[in-house]
Amino acid sequence: MKTKNYLRLTSFLSFLFKFVGFFYIVSFIISVVAFFTSDSFSFEYEPRMFSFFSFNTSNKVFDGTAATEVDYEKIYNFSGLIMTIPLVILSIIVYFKLGNLFRDLSKGETPFTFDKAKKLRVIAYFYCVLGLLPTFLYPIVFYIVSSGDINITLGVGYDFIIGLILLVVAQVFQYGLSLQEFSEDVV
């Protein structure tokens, strides 16, 4: 009886993660088209993270003369667009990989295989990158787009924490499989 519930749940999760992946693709394409065709549409990027340190400065003087008519709204919108692209692409990859993992689990095979532990580890690495990418990429993008303004926030994203937890779970799976393999060799 519990096996049926497990198979239904994994099948549902496979569908859900793939649906979310497709939703991300469609909504991102619509958003990018709206960004370039509408003057009022904007991307705003706010890193979701545990912040340890934040530093902001504005470059008001350039070569001894005051900067004139800097359109900060365009700067924020364009830097938001640039930051959103890699994060959405990585999120889509993660959702489809999760969907494939749960699809494999819904087939009724044992979840305790080295292949599934490896897939879980790959997903964990993607989550870690999703959690660290804004910390490193956003200050660079903001600096380039704003012509000298600096906006640095040091911290780790929530996705990084999820990735670390998944790495531990994948390592536990692999350790358990190694013990099982050793046990079978001894017997």
PDB file of all heavy atoms in Angstrom, residues 15-31:
ATOM      1  N   PHE A  15       5.986  15.234 -12.710  1.00  0.00           N
ATOM      2  CA  PHE A  15       5.135  16.115 -13.519  1.00  0.00           C
ATOM      3  C   PHE A  15       5.260  17.557 -13.047  1.00  0.00           C
ATOM      4  O   PHE A  15       5.390  18.476 -13.859  1.00  0.00           O
ATOM      5  CB  PHE A  15       3.675  15.652 -13.433  1.00  0.00           C
ATOM      6  CG  PHE A  15       2.711  16.651 -14.008  1.00  0.00           C
ATOM      7  CD1 PHE A  15       2.566  16.800 -15.372  1.00  0.00           C
ATOM      8  CD2 PHE A  15       1.968  17.457 -13.158  1.00  0.00           C
ATOM      9  CE1 PHE A  15       1.694  17.742 -15.885  1.00  0.00           C
ATOM     10  CE2 PHE A  15       1.090  18.399 -13.658  1.00  0.00           C
ATOM     11  CZ  PHE A  15       0.958  18.542 -15.032  1.00  0.00           C
ATOM     12  N   LEU A  16       5.226  17.762 -11.740  1.00  0.00           N
ATOM     13  CA  LEU A  16       5.255  19.113 -11.182  1.00  0.00           C
ATOM     14  C   LEU A  16       6.552  19.841 -11.539  1.00  0.00           C
ATOM     15  O   LEU A  16       6.524  20.993 -11.986  1.00  0.00           O
ATOM     16  CB  LEU A  16       5.095  19.060  -9.658  1.00  0.00           C
ATOM     17  CG  LEU A  16       5.089  20.399  -8.944  1.00  0.00           C
ATOM     18  CD1 LEU A  16       3.845  21.189  -9.313  1.00  0.00           C
ATOM     19  CD2 LEU A  16       5.156  20.178  -7.441  1.00  0.00           C
ATOM     20  N   PHE A  17       7.694  19.172 -11.375  1.00  0.00           N
ATOM     21  CA  PHE A  17       8.968  19.837 -11.673  1.00  0.00           C
ATOM     22  C   PHE A  17       9.111  20.124 -13.169  1.00  0.00           C
ATOM     23  O   PHE A  17       9.616  21.180 -13.553  1.00  0.00           O
ATOM     24  CB  PHE A  17      10.150  19.008 -11.175  1.00  0.00           C
ATOM     25  CG  PHE A  17      10.369  19.135  -9.696  1.00  0.00           C
ATOM     26  CD1 PHE A  17      10.277  18.029  -8.882  1.00  0.00           C
ATOM     27  CD2 PHE A  17      10.659  20.355  -9.115  1.00  0.00           C
ATOM     28  CE1 PHE A  17      10.475  18.135  -7.523  1.00  0.00           C
ATOM     29  CE2 PHE A  17      10.860  20.478  -7.761  1.00  0.00           C
ATOM     30  CZ  PHE A  17      10.769  19.366  -6.949  1.00  0.00           C
ATOM     31  N   LYS A  18       8.654  19.233 -14.012  1.00  0.00           N
ATOM     32  CA  LYS A  18       8.720  19.491 -15.455  1.00  0.00           C
ATOM     33  C   LYS A  18       7.763  20.605 -15.847  1.00  0.00           C
ATOM     34  O   LYS A  18       8.088  21.447 -16.691  1.00  0.00           O
ATOM     35  CB  LYS A  18       8.438  18.215 -16.236  1.00  0.00           C
ATOM     36  CG  LYS A  18       9.593  17.236 -16.149  1.00  0.00           C
ATOM     37  CD  LYS A  18       9.342  15.987 -16.946  1.00  0.00           C
ATOM     38  CE  LYS A  18      10.526  15.051 -16.811  1.00  0.00           C
ATOM     39  NZ  LYS A  18      10.384  13.860 -17.591  1.00  0.00           N
ATOM     40  N   PHE A  19       6.590  20.650 -15.224  1.00  0.00           N
ATOM     41  CA  PHE A  19       5.631  21.721 -15.486  1.00  0.00           C
ATOM     42  C   PHE A  19       6.228  23.070 -15.086  1.00  0.00           C
ATOM     43  O   PHE A  19       6.129  24.043 -15.830  1.00  0.00           O
ATOM     44  CB  PHE A  19       4.319  21.464 -14.725  1.00  0.00           C
ATOM     45  CG  PHE A  19       3.316  22.566 -14.897  1.00  0.00           C
ATOM     46  CD1 PHE A  19       2.557  22.651 -16.055  1.00  0.00           C
ATOM     47  CD2 PHE A  19       3.136  23.518 -13.905  1.00  0.00           C
ATOM     48  CE1 PHE A  19       1.638  23.678 -16.223  1.00  0.00           C
ATOM     49  CE2 PHE A  19       2.231  24.538 -14.058  1.00  0.00           C
ATOM     50  CZ  PHE A  19       1.472  24.617 -15.224  1.00  0.00           C
ATOM     51  N   VAL A  20       6.857  23.121 -13.924  1.00  0.00           N
ATOM     52  CA  VAL A  20       7.483  24.364 -13.473  1.00  0.00           C
ATOM     53  C   VAL A  20       8.611  24.762 -14.423  1.00  0.00           C
ATOM     54  O   VAL A  20       8.778  25.946 -14.741  1.00  0.00           O
ATOM     55  CB  VAL A  20       7.987  24.224 -12.017  1.00  0.00           C
ATOM     56  CG1 VAL A  20       8.842  25.407 -11.616  1.00  0.00           C
ATOM     57  CG2 VAL A  20       6.810  24.074 -11.065  1.00  0.00           C
ATOM     58  N   GLY A  21       9.375  23.793 -14.911  1.00  0.00           N
ATOM     59  CA  GLY A  21      10.425  24.086 -15.878  1.00  0.00           C
ATOM     60  C   GLY A  21       9.865  24.702 -17.157  1.00  0.00           C
ATOM     61  O   GLY A  21      10.382  25.707 -17.648  1.00  0.00           O
ATOM     62  N   PHE A  22       8.786  24.115 -17.693  1.00  0.00           N
ATOM     63  CA  PHE A  22       8.144  24.682 -18.880  1.00  0.00           C
ATOM     64  C   PHE A  22       7.563  26.059 -18.589  1.00  0.00           C
ATOM     65  O   PHE A  22       7.643  26.972 -19.416  1.00  0.00           O
ATOM     66  CB  PHE A  22       7.051  23.753 -19.413  1.00  0.00           C
ATOM     67  CG  PHE A  22       7.581  22.590 -20.195  1.00  0.00           C
ATOM     68  CD1 PHE A  22       7.327  21.290 -19.790  1.00  0.00           C
ATOM     69  CD2 PHE A  22       8.336  22.772 -21.351  1.00  0.00           C
ATOM     70  CE1 PHE A  22       7.813  20.211 -20.502  1.00  0.00           C
ATOM     71  CE2 PHE A  22       8.826  21.709 -22.073  1.00  0.00           C
ATOM     72  CZ  PHE A  22       8.567  20.421 -21.648  1.00  0.00           C
ATOM     73  N   PHE A  23       6.970  26.224 -17.421  1.00  0.00           N
ATOM     74  CA  PHE A  23       6.414  27.521 -17.030  1.00  0.00           C
ATOM     75  C   PHE A  23       7.520  28.577 -16.987  1.00  0.00           C
ATOM     76  O   PHE A  23       7.325  29.696 -17.449  1.00  0.00           O
ATOM     77  CB  PHE A  23       5.715  27.417 -15.668  1.00  0.00           C
ATOM     78  CG  PHE A  23       5.149  28.714 -15.190  1.00  0.00           C
ATOM     79  CD1 PHE A  23       3.976  29.205 -15.733  1.00  0.00           C
ATOM     80  CD2 PHE A  23       5.812  29.458 -14.219  1.00  0.00           C
ATOM     81  CE1 PHE A  23       3.458  30.413 -15.301  1.00  0.00           C
ATOM     82  CE2 PHE A  23       5.304  30.658 -13.789  1.00  0.00           C
ATOM     83  CZ  PHE A  23       4.118  31.143 -14.324  1.00  0.00           C
ATOM     84  N   TYR A  24       8.684  28.234 -16.437  1.00  0.00           N
ATOM     85  CA  TYR A  24       9.816  29.156 -16.416  1.00  0.00           C
ATOM     86  C   TYR A  24      10.227  29.546 -17.830  1.00  0.00           C
ATOM     87  O   TYR A  24      10.512  30.703 -18.091  1.00  0.00           O
ATOM     88  CB  TYR A  24      11.004  28.522 -15.687  1.00  0.00           C
ATOM     89  CG  TYR A  24      11.168  28.952 -14.255  1.00  0.00           C
ATOM     90  CD1 TYR A  24      10.121  28.861 -13.344  1.00  0.00           C
ATOM     91  CD2 TYR A  24      12.379  29.429 -13.791  1.00  0.00           C
ATOM     92  CE1 TYR A  24      10.280  29.237 -12.035  1.00  0.00           C
ATOM     93  CE2 TYR A  24      12.553  29.800 -12.479  1.00  0.00           C
ATOM     94  CZ  TYR A  24      11.498  29.703 -11.611  1.00  0.00           C
ATOM     95  OH  TYR A  24      11.668  30.090 -10.309  1.00  0.00           O
ATOM     96  N   ILE A  25      10.282  28.566 -18.718  1.00  0.00           N
ATOM     97  CA  ILE A  25      10.686  28.848 -20.101  1.00  0.00           C
ATOM     98  C   ILE A  25       9.717  29.829 -20.750  1.00  0.00           C
ATOM     99  O   ILE A  25      10.129  30.857 -21.302  1.00  0.00           O
ATOM    100  CB  ILE A  25      10.774  27.545 -20.934  1.00  0.00           C
ATOM    101  CG1 ILE A  25      11.942  26.690 -20.468  1.00  0.00           C
ATOM    102  CG2 ILE A  25      10.916  27.862 -22.420  1.00  0.00           C
ATOM    103  CD1 ILE A  25      11.962  25.289 -21.071  1.00  0.00           C
ATOM    104  N   VAL A  26       8.433  29.520 -20.674  1.00  0.00           N
ATOM    105  CA  VAL A  26       7.418  30.352 -21.324  1.00  0.00           C
ATOM    106  C   VAL A  26       7.367  31.743 -20.699  1.00  0.00           C
ATOM    107  O   VAL A  26       7.369  32.760 -21.410  1.00  0.00           O
ATOM    108  CB  VAL A  26       6.034  29.662 -21.268  1.00  0.00           C
ATOM    109  CG1 VAL A  26       4.930  30.599 -21.728  1.00  0.00           C
ATOM    110  CG2 VAL A  26       6.041  28.393 -22.107  1.00  0.00           C
ATOM    111  N   SER A  27       7.343  31.818 -19.375  1.00  0.00           N
ATOM    112  CA  SER A  27       7.253  33.124 -18.723  1.00  0.00           C
ATOM    113  C   SER A  27       8.504  33.955 -18.961  1.00  0.00           C
ATOM    114  O   SER A  27       8.421  35.181 -19.112  1.00  0.00           O
ATOM    115  CB  SER A  27       6.972  32.971 -17.231  1.00  0.00           C
ATOM    116  OG  SER A  27       8.015  32.285 -16.599  1.00  0.00           O
ATOM    117  N   PHE A  28       9.666  33.322 -19.037  1.00  0.00           N
ATOM    118  CA  PHE A  28      10.883  34.076 -19.292  1.00  0.00           C
ATOM    119  C   PHE A  28      10.896  34.627 -20.708  1.00  0.00           C
ATOM    120  O   PHE A  28      11.271  35.786 -20.922  1.00  0.00           O
ATOM    121  CB  PHE A  28      12.122  33.216 -19.042  1.00  0.00           C
ATOM    122  CG  PHE A  28      13.398  33.967 -19.217  1.00  0.00           C
ATOM    123  CD1 PHE A  28      13.738  34.981 -18.340  1.00  0.00           C
ATOM    124  CD2 PHE A  28      14.250  33.679 -20.264  1.00  0.00           C
ATOM    125  CE1 PHE A  28      14.916  35.691 -18.497  1.00  0.00           C
ATOM    126  CE2 PHE A  28      15.426  34.383 -20.426  1.00  0.00           C
ATOM    127  CZ  PHE A  28      15.763  35.392 -19.541  1.00  0.00           C
ATOM    128  N   ILE A  29      10.476  33.826 -21.678  1.00  0.00           N
ATOM    129  CA  ILE A  29      10.416  34.309 -23.065  1.00  0.00           C
ATOM    130  C   ILE A  29       9.443  35.479 -23.171  1.00  0.00           C
ATOM    131  O   ILE A  29       9.759  36.509 -23.790  1.00  0.00           O
ATOM    132  CB  ILE A  29      10.038  33.160 -24.024  1.00  0.00           C
ATOM    133  CG1 ILE A  29      11.198  32.168 -24.132  1.00  0.00           C
ATOM    134  CG2 ILE A  29       9.673  33.698 -25.408  1.00  0.00           C
ATOM    135  CD1 ILE A  29      10.852  30.883 -24.869  1.00  0.00           C
ATOM    136  N   ILE A  30       8.282  35.355 -22.565  1.00  0.00           N
ATOM    137  CA  ILE A  30       7.299  36.449 -22.588  1.00  0.00           C
ATOM    138  C   ILE A  30       7.861  37.690 -21.908  1.00  0.00           C
ATOM    139  O   ILE A  30       7.703  38.813 -22.396  1.00  0.00           O
ATOM    140  CB  ILE A  30       5.976  35.996 -21.924  1.00  0.00           C
ATOM    141  CG1 ILE A  30       5.284  34.957 -22.802  1.00  0.00           C
ATOM    142  CG2 ILE A  30       5.054  37.183 -21.667  1.00  0.00           C
ATOM    143  CD1 ILE A  30       4.104  34.273 -22.142  1.00  0.00           C
ATOM    144  N   SER A  31       8.568  37.517 -20.802  1.00  0.00           N
ATOM    145  CA  SER A  31       9.130  38.651 -20.071  1.00  0.00           C
ATOM    146  C   SER A  31      10.216  39.359 -20.874  1.00  0.00           C
ATOM    147  O   SER A  31      10.282  40.593 -20.882  1.00  0.00           O
ATOM    148  CB  SER A  31       9.706  38.183 -18.733  1.00  0.00           C
ATOM    149  OG  SER A  31       8.710  37.643 -17.928  1.00  0.00           O
TER     150      SER A  31
END
